[in-house]
Amino acid sequence: MGIAILENWPTPISVFLLVTILFLVALFYAANFKSEKSELKFEDLILVIFTGIGALVTYWLNVSLDIGVVLAAGITGLFSSFLPFINRRSDILRELPVAVYCGAFAGMTSPLVAGGYGFIMAAGLFSGLLLVISKSTLNGFGGKLGSIAFGGVCLVSLLIYLAS
């Protein structure tokens, strides 16, 4: 948002609209953010790992088999949806499809952006961390998993940019 404001600095109407949108989004998050103390569990580590696996599988299906990102993400999500049927009473198996599908969104990153499998694995793991952190927020709102994956890819891109 800051970059958009800087790019549109000469036109005051654009800056006003962007600042207004930023204010309204911040107000929305402040009103809907639940301040629950939650402690990280071992199951959360499993979710982070499976988010990375979902990203790797999707990227591999897209790059190696050349089937396209949408179909690759769909196949990854389809197979992950069967994981809870291994043991229907397991709480962690019920949460794995969400983590894998979040990783699938991170795995949809273009090979032009991703430097390879290392980038995708890092993006998947960062997405998994963001997923675990935001587990109790924004439930019921569409686009949460894609936004989390976008955040993970952006974080890895930023780290690579800062390291070079």
Side-chain angles (χ1 to χ4, degrees):
M1 185 62 94
I3 300 290
I5 291 172
L6 287 176
E7 286 181 357
N8 292 304
W9 191 252
T11 54
I13 294 173
S14 298
V15 172
F16 174 74
L17 289 174
L18 288 170
V19 169
T20 303
I21 291 171
L22 179 65
F23 174 74
L24 291 175
V25 168
L27 189 66
F28 173 79
Y29 281 126
N32 292 312
F33 185 74
K34 296 176 185 173
S35 172
E36 296 177 3
K37 286 210 169 197
S38 63
E39 42 185 72
L40 296 175
K41 299 174 247 169
F42 178 71
E43 289 83 15
D44 294 334
L45 178 63
I46 293 172
L47 292 178
V48 170
I49 291 170
F50 271 86
T51 306
I53 290 171
L56 283 176
V57 169
T58 303
Y59 189 76
W60 176 76
L61 287 172
N62 178 38
V63 172
S64 297
L65 301 181
D66 198 29
I67 62 174
V69 291
V70 175
L71 190 57
I75 290 170
T76 304
L78 176 69
F79 282 108
S80 71
S81 70
F82 294 115
L83 290 175
F85 294 111
I86 295 172
N87 182 0
R88 292 179 189 230
R89 287 177 270 160
S90 172
D91 290 334
I92 190 66
L93 286 177
R94 279 196 301 257
E95 293 185 39
L96 284 183
V98 174
V100 172
Y101 202 55
C102 181
F105 283 120
M108 292 175 76
T109 304
S110 169
L112 299 174
V113 173
Y117 290 100
F119 180 95
I120 293 298
M121 186 62 186
L125 293 176
F126 273 109
S127 298
L129 287 173
L130 293 173
L131 178 67
V132 167
I133 290 169
S134 68
K135 195 187 290 188
S136 64
T137 60
L138 296 176
N139 292 325
F141 292 98
K144 178 179 178 179
L145 297 179
S147 299
I148 289 171
F150 176 72
V153 171
C154 286
L155 281 172
V156 174
S157 296
L158 177 66
L159 290 175
I160 289 173
Y161 175 75
L162 292 175
S164 61

